[in-house]
Amino acid sequence: MVILLTNDDGVHADGLQALRAQMEKMPGIEVFVVAPDKERSASGHGITIHQPLRVEEVSIDGSRARIWAVSGTPADCTKIGIRALLPGPPSLVISGINRGPNLGTDVFYSGTVAAALEAAVLGVPAIAMSLNGYENLDYSYASRVAACLAGIILKRGMTPNSLLNVNIPALEPEHIAGMEVTRLGVRRYNDEFERKVDAKGDVYYWLAGGVMDVENAEGTDVGAIQQNKVSITPIHLDLTAHWAMDEICAWEIDLPDRDGGGPV
Ligand code: MN
């Protein structure tokens, strides 16, 4: 079976290499890695269409996987991996293990989650893996969680058009308080723009500011991580607000006349 690994921290990132080493231990699995040639965190689901994608095969000591570095986004990597580089469609895509969490509203900005979403768009089961810390990270337990979930998905399959968004506490395994299947909470940033002046006298802004966990209620991914639990959130591609459709229909929207007349 073929598995594709990718990430948004770049092809040489520790989290990806720990994941690769773990997945290479799984029997009957052929591992391929297609990842950005440099860090592309917070790049969302962008794809590259106005310039070529450069692809370079790289070798990593001790690995028997084929590994490509791509001059594009995480979503590009999943797309070009599945459509052009791999010998056939993978049975699973795993994105990560990201340095830092991807909780709640983060999923809209995350390159890690976007790479997994792109797999779901292409009909391939996917997992996005993130470790909830930034310093002195040990990816070994998170790698074992990824292998465990991969084994289950390869056996049971995944509901179509969906993926798992998994966040792991950055703790020694004995301090992890179990796991919870969660829904997305709400996490925002206080979006402080620092206004500065450059050497030429021109004004520029730098986005800074910290995270605010707006909704960390029981059952959310934000809440589970705060309780030192592994959080597993199934995410679906359908962003439709189905419950709002009746309300919008009730507006009885009267479109402007096509000839330029009408009320607007
Ligand atoms: Mn990242």
Side-chain angles (χ1 to χ4, degrees), residues 8-9 39-42 98-99 102 112:
D8 76 359
D9 293 336
E39 177 167 357
R40 302 299 298 259
S41 291
N98 190 58
R99 176 174 170 267
N102 281 301
T112 305

